[in-house]
Amino acid sequence: MAERELKATLAEKRDGVGIITLNRPEKLNAINQDIMDDLYYLFDAYEEDPEVRVIVLTGGDGKAFCAGGDIEGEIQMDVVGSYHGGIEGNRLNTRIEKCRIPVIAAINGFCLGGGFEMALACDIRLASERARIGLTEVNMGVIPGSGGTQRLPRLIGPSRAKLLMMTGNHYKGEAALAMGLVDMVFPAEELLDAAVNMAKEMAAKPPLALEYVKWAVNEGMQMDLDRALLFESALFAHLYSTEDQKEAMSAFLEKRPTRPFQGK
Protein backbone atom coordinates (compact mmCIF):
# COMPACT_ATOMS: atom_id res chain seq x y z
CA MET A 1 0.00 0.00 0.00
CA ALA A 2 1.33 3.44 -0.96
CA GLU A 3 2.29 5.67 1.94
CA ARG A 4 0.27 8.84 2.49
CA GLU A 5 0.58 11.85 4.75
CA LEU A 6 -1.29 11.53 8.04
CA LYS A 7 -3.30 14.65 8.88
CA ALA A 8 -4.85 13.92 12.27
CA THR A 9 -3.11 10.81 13.64
CA LEU A 10 0.35 9.51 14.48
CA ALA A 11 1.50 5.97 13.77
CA GLU A 12 4.40 3.76 14.84
CA LYS A 13 5.31 0.08 15.12
CA ARG A 14 6.83 -1.68 18.15
CA ASP A 15 7.64 -5.39 18.18
CA GLY A 16 4.61 -6.60 16.27
CA VAL A 17 2.30 -3.85 17.55
CA GLY A 18 0.91 -1.04 15.42
CA ILE A 19 0.14 2.05 17.53
CA ILE A 20 -2.36 4.59 16.21
CA THR A 21 -2.61 7.87 18.13
CA LEU A 22 -5.45 10.31 17.43
CA ASN A 23 -3.84 13.73 17.12
CA ARG A 24 -6.23 16.70 17.21
CA PRO A 25 -5.36 17.94 20.71
CA GLU A 26 -6.89 21.37 20.14
CA LYS A 27 -10.27 19.63 19.62
CA LEU A 28 -9.79 16.83 22.18
CA ASN A 29 -9.43 14.47 19.22
CA ALA A 30 -13.02 15.08 18.10
CA ILE A 31 -13.81 13.05 15.00
CA ASN A 32 -13.59 14.84 11.66
CA GLN A 33 -12.97 13.73 8.09
CA ASP A 34 -9.20 13.84 8.52
CA ILE A 35 -9.32 11.41 11.45
CA MET A 36 -11.67 9.11 9.54
CA ASP A 37 -9.51 9.13 6.42
CA ASP A 38 -6.36 8.44 8.47
CA LEU A 39 -7.99 5.56 10.33
CA TYR A 40 -9.23 3.88 7.15
CA TYR A 41 -5.74 4.12 5.69
CA LEU A 42 -3.94 2.90 8.83
CA PHE A 43 -6.25 -0.04 9.52
CA ASP A 44 -5.87 -1.18 5.91
CA ALA A 45 -2.09 -0.72 6.05
CA TYR A 46 -1.59 -2.49 9.38
CA GLU A 47 -3.91 -5.34 8.45
CA GLU A 48 -1.80 -5.98 5.35
CA ASP A 49 1.53 -5.59 7.17
CA PRO A 50 2.95 -9.01 8.23
CA GLU A 51 4.99 -7.25 10.94
CA VAL A 52 1.83 -6.00 12.71
CA ARG A 53 -0.20 -8.56 14.64
CA VAL A 54 -2.06 -6.34 17.14
CA ILE A 55 -3.20 -2.70 16.98
CA VAL A 56 -3.35 -0.23 19.90
CA LEU A 57 -5.63 2.78 19.36
CA THR A 58 -5.15 5.71 21.75
CA GLY A 59 -5.34 9.48 22.18
CA GLY A 60 -2.49 11.95 22.14
CA ASP A 61 -1.69 14.05 25.17
CA GLY A 62 -3.63 12.34 27.94
CA LYS A 63 -6.51 14.82 27.92
CA ALA A 64 -8.67 12.82 25.54
CA PHE A 65 -8.96 9.52 23.75
CA CYS A 66 -11.70 11.08 21.63
CA ALA A 67 -14.31 13.58 22.83
CA GLY A 68 -16.79 12.50 20.16
CA GLY A 69 -18.11 14.31 17.13
CA ASP A 70 -17.12 17.84 16.21
CA ILE A 71 -20.18 19.77 17.46
CA GLU A 72 -19.20 22.95 15.57
CA GLY A 73 -19.72 21.02 12.36
CA GLU A 74 -22.69 18.97 13.49
CA ILE A 75 -24.86 21.90 14.60
CA GLN A 76 -25.33 22.88 10.94
CA MET A 77 -26.43 19.41 9.82
CA ASP A 78 -29.88 18.76 8.42
CA VAL A 79 -31.71 15.41 8.45
CA VAL A 80 -30.03 14.11 5.31
CA GLY A 81 -26.56 15.22 6.43
CA SER A 82 -26.94 13.72 9.89
CA TYR A 83 -28.25 10.44 8.44
CA HIS A 84 -25.24 10.13 6.17
CA GLY A 85 -22.98 11.17 9.05
CA GLY A 86 -24.33 8.29 11.12
CA ILE A 87 -23.85 5.89 8.22
CA GLU A 88 -20.23 7.03 7.83
CA GLY A 89 -19.58 6.68 11.57
CA ASN A 90 -21.02 3.18 11.53
CA ARG A 91 -18.95 2.28 8.49
CA LEU A 92 -15.72 3.36 10.22
CA ASN A 93 -16.53 1.58 13.48
CA THR A 94 -17.51 -1.57 11.61
CA ARG A 95 -14.14 -1.39 9.82
CA ILE A 96 -12.42 -1.30 13.21
CA GLU A 97 -14.60 -4.09 14.59
CA LYS A 98 -14.00 -6.34 11.60
CA CYS A 99 -10.25 -5.76 11.47
CA ARG A 100 -8.67 -9.18 11.08
CA ILE A 101 -6.19 -8.60 13.92
CA PRO A 102 -6.96 -7.70 17.55
CA VAL A 103 -7.50 -4.03 18.43
CA ILE A 104 -6.92 -2.65 21.94
CA ALA A 105 -8.28 0.77 22.90
CA ALA A 106 -6.10 2.64 25.44
CA ILE A 107 -8.49 5.26 26.80
CA ASN A 108 -6.85 8.28 28.34
CA GLY A 109 -9.00 11.27 29.32
CA PHE A 110 -12.32 12.06 27.67
CA CYS A 111 -13.96 9.21 25.73
CA LEU A 112 -17.45 10.46 25.03
CA GLY A 113 -20.18 10.01 22.46
CA GLY A 114 -18.68 9.02 19.13
CA GLY A 115 -15.33 8.50 20.81
CA PHE A 116 -16.76 5.80 23.07
CA GLU A 117 -18.62 4.31 20.12
CA MET A 118 -15.22 3.96 18.45
CA ALA A 119 -13.81 2.31 21.58
CA LEU A 120 -16.79 -0.07 21.67
CA ALA A 121 -15.76 -1.31 18.22
CA CYS A 122 -12.37 -2.36 19.61
CA ASP A 123 -11.84 -5.85 21.02
CA ILE A 124 -10.48 -4.79 24.42
CA ARG A 125 -10.73 -1.50 26.30
CA LEU A 126 -8.12 -0.39 28.81
CA ALA A 127 -8.56 2.92 30.63
CA SER A 128 -6.61 5.26 32.83
CA GLU A 129 -7.89 6.29 36.24
CA ARG A 130 -8.50 9.76 34.77
CA ALA A 131 -10.62 8.52 31.86
CA ARG A 132 -14.11 9.97 31.46
CA ILE A 133 -16.32 7.53 29.57
CA GLY A 134 -19.91 7.77 28.42
CA LEU A 135 -22.50 8.12 25.67
CA THR A 136 -23.57 11.72 26.26
CA GLU A 137 -25.54 12.42 23.06
CA VAL A 138 -28.86 12.90 24.90
CA ASN A 139 -27.39 16.10 26.37
CA MET A 140 -27.21 17.45 22.79
CA GLY A 141 -30.79 16.39 22.02
CA VAL A 142 -29.86 13.34 19.94
CA ILE A 143 -29.00 9.65 20.42
CA PRO A 144 -25.80 7.73 19.67
CA GLY A 145 -25.64 7.35 15.91
CA SER A 146 -22.51 5.29 15.27
CA GLY A 147 -23.34 1.98 16.90
CA GLY A 148 -23.69 2.94 20.56
CA THR A 149 -27.33 1.90 20.95
CA GLN A 150 -26.45 -1.53 19.56
CA ARG A 151 -22.95 -2.38 20.78
CA LEU A 152 -23.33 -1.12 24.35
CA PRO A 153 -26.42 -3.27 25.21
CA ARG A 154 -24.59 -6.29 23.82
CA LEU A 155 -21.67 -5.47 26.12
CA ILE A 156 -23.38 -4.58 29.43
CA GLY A 157 -27.05 -5.49 28.93
CA PRO A 158 -29.99 -3.32 27.85
CA SER A 159 -30.93 -1.87 31.25
CA ARG A 160 -27.49 -0.53 32.12
CA ALA A 161 -27.01 0.66 28.57
CA LYS A 162 -30.26 2.64 28.70
CA LEU A 163 -29.22 4.08 32.07
CA LEU A 164 -25.98 5.31 30.56
CA MET A 165 -27.59 6.75 27.44
CA MET A 166 -30.69 8.24 29.08
CA THR A 167 -28.78 10.10 31.80
CA GLY A 168 -25.97 11.23 29.52
CA ASN A 169 -23.57 10.84 32.44
CA HIS A 170 -19.94 9.86 32.08
CA TYR A 171 -17.84 7.77 34.45
CA LYS A 172 -14.28 7.78 35.71
CA GLY A 173 -11.97 4.83 35.20
CA GLU A 174 -12.86 2.67 38.21
CA ALA A 175 -16.59 3.38 37.94
CA ALA A 176 -16.46 2.56 34.23
CA LEU A 177 -14.74 -0.71 35.09
CA ALA A 178 -17.46 -1.57 37.63
CA MET A 179 -20.13 -0.96 34.97
CA GLY A 180 -18.34 -3.17 32.46
CA LEU A 181 -17.50 -0.35 30.05
CA VAL A 182 -13.78 -1.17 30.16
CA ASP A 183 -11.78 -4.29 30.96
CA MET A 184 -8.88 -2.97 33.07
CA VAL A 185 -7.80 0.34 34.66
CA PHE A 186 -4.27 1.67 35.12
CA PRO A 187 -2.62 4.83 36.44
CA ALA A 188 -2.54 7.39 33.65
CA GLU A 189 1.24 7.31 33.30
CA GLU A 190 1.20 3.49 32.92
CA LEU A 191 -1.70 3.12 30.50
CA LEU A 192 0.05 3.14 27.13
CA ASP A 193 2.87 0.87 28.30
CA ALA A 194 0.29 -1.54 29.74
CA ALA A 195 -1.63 -1.58 26.46
CA VAL A 196 1.49 -2.08 24.37
CA ASN A 197 2.77 -4.84 26.68
CA MET A 198 -0.57 -6.63 26.44
CA ALA A 199 -0.46 -6.24 22.67
CA LYS A 200 3.10 -7.62 22.53
CA GLU A 201 1.99 -10.65 24.56
CA MET A 202 -0.82 -11.28 22.07
CA ALA A 203 1.48 -10.64 19.10
CA ALA A 204 3.68 -13.54 20.21
CA LYS A 205 0.74 -15.97 19.97
CA PRO A 206 -0.20 -17.89 16.80
CA PRO A 207 -1.81 -15.16 14.69
CA LEU A 208 -4.40 -17.37 13.01
CA ALA A 209 -5.63 -18.54 16.40
CA LEU A 210 -6.03 -14.89 17.47
CA GLU A 211 -7.90 -14.13 14.26
CA TYR A 212 -10.20 -17.10 14.72
CA VAL A 213 -10.99 -16.20 18.35
CA LYS A 214 -12.13 -12.78 17.15
CA TRP A 215 -14.06 -14.26 14.24
CA ALA A 216 -15.77 -16.88 16.39
CA VAL A 217 -16.89 -14.37 19.03
CA ASN A 218 -17.96 -11.55 16.72
CA GLU A 219 -19.84 -13.71 14.24
CA GLY A 220 -21.16 -16.11 16.87
CA MET A 221 -22.77 -13.24 18.77
CA GLN A 222 -25.01 -12.65 15.74
CA MET A 223 -26.15 -16.31 15.56
CA ASP A 224 -28.35 -18.56 17.63
CA LEU A 225 -26.38 -20.84 19.93
CA ASP A 226 -26.69 -24.02 17.84
CA ARG A 227 -25.32 -22.36 14.69
CA ALA A 228 -22.63 -20.54 16.67
CA LEU A 229 -21.39 -23.82 18.16
CA LEU A 230 -21.14 -25.36 14.69
CA PHE A 231 -19.24 -22.30 13.48
CA GLU A 232 -16.84 -22.60 16.43
CA SER A 233 -16.27 -26.29 15.68
CA ALA A 234 -15.46 -25.54 12.04
CA LEU A 235 -12.89 -22.87 12.99
CA PHE A 236 -11.41 -25.11 15.68
CA ALA A 237 -11.00 -27.97 13.20
CA HIS A 238 -9.49 -25.75 10.49
CA LEU A 239 -6.67 -24.64 12.77
CA TYR A 240 -5.44 -28.25 12.89
CA SER A 241 -4.32 -27.78 9.28
CA THR A 242 -1.90 -24.97 10.19
CA GLU A 243 1.86 -25.03 10.68
CA ASP A 244 1.51 -22.87 13.80
CA GLN A 245 -0.69 -25.48 15.49
CA LYS A 246 1.87 -28.18 14.76
CA GLU A 247 4.69 -26.02 16.15
CA ALA A 248 2.78 -24.98 19.29
CA MET A 249 1.78 -28.52 20.24
CA SER A 250 5.19 -29.99 19.38
CA ALA A 251 6.94 -27.39 21.51
CA PHE A 252 4.60 -28.15 24.41
CA LEU A 253 5.24 -31.91 24.21
CA GLU A 254 8.99 -31.44 23.74
CA LYS A 255 9.14 -28.95 26.63
CA ARG A 256 10.91 -26.30 24.56
CA PRO A 257 10.19 -22.67 23.62
CA THR A 258 8.15 -22.23 20.48
CA ARG A 259 9.74 -20.93 17.34
CA PRO A 260 8.27 -17.68 16.01
CA PHE A 261 4.81 -18.26 14.62
CA GLN A 262 4.32 -17.53 10.93
CA GLY A 263 0.58 -17.23 10.57
CA LYS A 264 0.49 -20.33 8.36
Side-chain angles (χ1 to χ4, degrees), residues 151-196:
R151 289 191 177 92
L152 187 61
R154 286 167 167 79
L155 180 68
I156 64 173
S159 181
R160 277 195 169 188
K162 284 184 276 189
L163 169 66
L164 198 81
M165 290 184 280
M166 289 178 175
T167 62
N169 292 334
H170 53 79
Y171 298 86
K172 292 183 180 180
E174 290 292 343
L177 177 64
M179 290 191 70
L181 306 180
V182 300
D183 302 299
M184 299 177 74
V185 173
F186 298 89
E189 63 275 9
E190 298 176 13
L191 174 65
L192 184 57
D193 284 343
V196 171

Side-chain angles (χ1 to χ4, degrees), residues 193-207:
D193 284 343
V196 171
N197 288 338
M198 179 182 288
K200 287 180 180 178
E201 181 181 359
M202 291 180 185
K205 308 293 184 185

Side-chain angles (χ1 to χ4, degrees), residues 22 24 27-31 35 63-71 108-116 132 134 136-137:
L22 305 180
R24 290 187 76 209
K27 295 291 187 179
L28 297 177
N29 298 328
I31 301 165
I35 279 184
K63 293 181 180 178
F65 173 81
C66 175
D70 196 332
I71 302 301
N108 43 357
F110 292 105
C111 181
L112 305 175
F116 186 42
R132 301 290 187 275
T136 54
E137 287 88 346

Side-chain angles (χ1 to χ4, degrees), residues 213-229:
V213 166
K214 181 168 182 171
W215 197 10
V217 173
N218 286 0
E219 294 300 320
M221 288 289 289
Q222 311 306 316
M223 302 176 185
D224 63 73
L225 183 57
D226 287 341
R227 288 196 303 149
L229 291 172

